Amino acid sequence: MSVESYKCSGCGAPISFNPKIGGFKCVYCGKTCTEEELATFLEQTEAKNEQKRKHAAASGTDASDDEVMQYTCPSCGAEVVVGDTAATSFCYYCHSPVIIESRLRGDFKPDKIIPFKIDKKDAVEKFSEWIKGKRYVPSDFTAKAQDANIVGMYLPYWDIDVAVNVDYHATGIKRTTWQQGDNEYTKTDEYQIDRTGKLSYNNMRELAFSKINQDLINGINPYNAADEKKFSSGYLSGFQSERYTVGREFITPVAQNRAKSYTISDIHNSTGCNTFANVRDNTTYSIDDVRYTLLPTWVLNYKYKGKDYQFAVNGQTGKSYGDLPVSNGKLLVHSLALGVLVALLAVLGGLFLW
């Protein structure tokens, strides 16, 4: 299995992408690296890796990457186990970030990436702020106790462009009701609805990873496509990343159905009618383009008194979403206090109003 640990050209230590500077910075010697310098470095690295792959193929030692595997850390030589969908990892012993290049080839090579803008410190602060705003969190639950568990990872998405050839015909019915005196009147108007032409829905984004809570990730959307960059594996250094588990063949019908829903809604909204009859819809939907994109996410999985909870931060915008444990004691006290207040207001109201 081909793995690579990107090293600082100044001191040789592992180097990671730094969201704060939008580039690469060595935590040991402080040397920084621009995107252009990284691209040159990656070209040189890829040439070396290609030679290694050819040698591995010739010797028959290049194993399948579709299962849990073991690799040798390029920094310390330790043997590390990595999951079946992970494209990056960390050495458990020296903590060096490692990119598994062999899992970023062919269909699994992303087209685009949005690099992290929110670093770990900011993500932890988002979690702390989020907890402070929750009234019924148990007193012994603190954000600080969970800091070490938050993980920055790139999640895989499909970005899909759908072309629509509209050919829609129906009878639109508009009913208007009004009151005059004691009588209610209803007027019914019918219109012939004919809609033809072309539409396009671009960048319809679908999560391509089934091993994470979909509602959790929906809660931190959307991402701004303006920050998309051509994929470079260097951006993955220092973060976890997953390759897709939901293929494009499963996603494209979903995108077409979304486009159909949008089209029908747009047509109906353009008419002012309440209902539609005698519908003849010959509209066709076709996929123009599909792009494999990695998006930055901070994810925290934590356990409190035996129950699992999750929290996520959009690694680009900082938007947060998740769930928290609830103190039944605090909830009971608040309910009792509210009940007493309502009872007191009822008594006072009775004294002054009767």
Side-chain angles (χ1 to χ4, degrees), residues 133-196:
K134 304 299 185 289
R135 180 178 296 179
Y136 305 118
V137 177
S139 300
D140 61 344
F141 181 85
T142 63
K144 188 174 182 180
Q146 312 299 334
D147 289 0
N149 297 328
I150 197 163
V151 175
M153 65 169 58
Y154 284 100
L155 291 178
Y157 285 77
W158 293 113
D159 287 341
I160 307 167
D161 298 340
V162 179
V164 184
N165 189 10
V166 181
D167 186 7
Y168 181 94
H169 310 275
T171 300
I173 302 170
K174 182 178 182 180
R175 291 187 176 89
T176 306
T177 302
W178 70 93
Q179 192 83 23
Q180 188 171 335
D182 294 332
N183 299 319
E184 183 178 273
Y185 299 89
T186 299
K187 178 185 177 184
T188 301
D189 296 306
E190 293 189 357
Y191 304 90
Q192 179 59 38
I193 307 300
D194 296 298
R195 297 289 187 270
T196 59

Side-chain angles (χ1 to χ4, degrees), residues 55-72:
H55 181 269
S59 61
T61 58
D62 198 15
S64 169
D65 293 310
D66 294 331
E67 56 187 20
V68 175
M69 297 194 69
Q70 182 173 294
Y71 72 84
T72 301

Side-chain angles (χ1 to χ4, degrees), residues 242-261:
E242 300 289 342
R243 64 182 190 179
Y244 68 80
T245 60
V246 182
R248 68 179 68 199
E249 67 274 16
F250 299 104
I251 288 296
T252 49
V254 174
Q256 288 175 314
N257 286 334
R258 280 181 61 188
K260 181 176 182 178
S261 175

Side-chain angles (χ1 to χ4, degrees), residues 262-282:
Y262 294 158
T263 300
I264 296 299
S265 178
D266 288 343
I267 291 172
H268 288 181
N269 291 338
S270 72
T271 66
C273 296
N274 309 112
T275 57
F276 299 85
N278 306 317
V279 175
R280 292 181 293 111
D281 187 1
N282 300 311

Side-chain angles (χ1 to χ4, degrees), residues 92-122:
Y92 307 139
Y93 304 96
C94 69
H95 306 293
S96 295
V98 175
I99 297 175
I100 307 169
E101 296 282 359
S102 57
R103 289 188 171 175
L104 295 169
R105 298 193 212 126
D107 290 341
F108 288 104
K109 183 176 181 180
D111 300 298
K112 299 286 185 178
I113 188 170
I114 295 181
F116 273 88
K117 283 191 171 181
I118 304 295
D119 64 9
K120 184 173 182 177
K121 181 180 178 181
D122 290 336

Side-chain angles (χ1 to χ4, degrees), residues 29-77:
C29 70
K31 183 180 177 65
T32 58
C33 175
T34 66
E35 186 177 354
E36 290 76 14
E37 292 168 337
L38 173 69
T40 301
F41 170 76
L42 290 178
E43 288 176 3
Q44 296 171 346
T45 302
E46 180 59 25
K48 294 178 183 177
N49 288 341
E50 184 61 28
Q51 292 298 320
K52 292 179 183 177
R53 286 194 289 269
K54 289 179 179 179
H55 181 269
S59 61
T61 58
D62 198 15
S64 169
D65 293 310
D66 294 331
E67 56 187 20
V68 175
M69 297 194 69
Q70 182 173 294
Y71 72 84
T72 301
C73 174
S75 295
C76 70

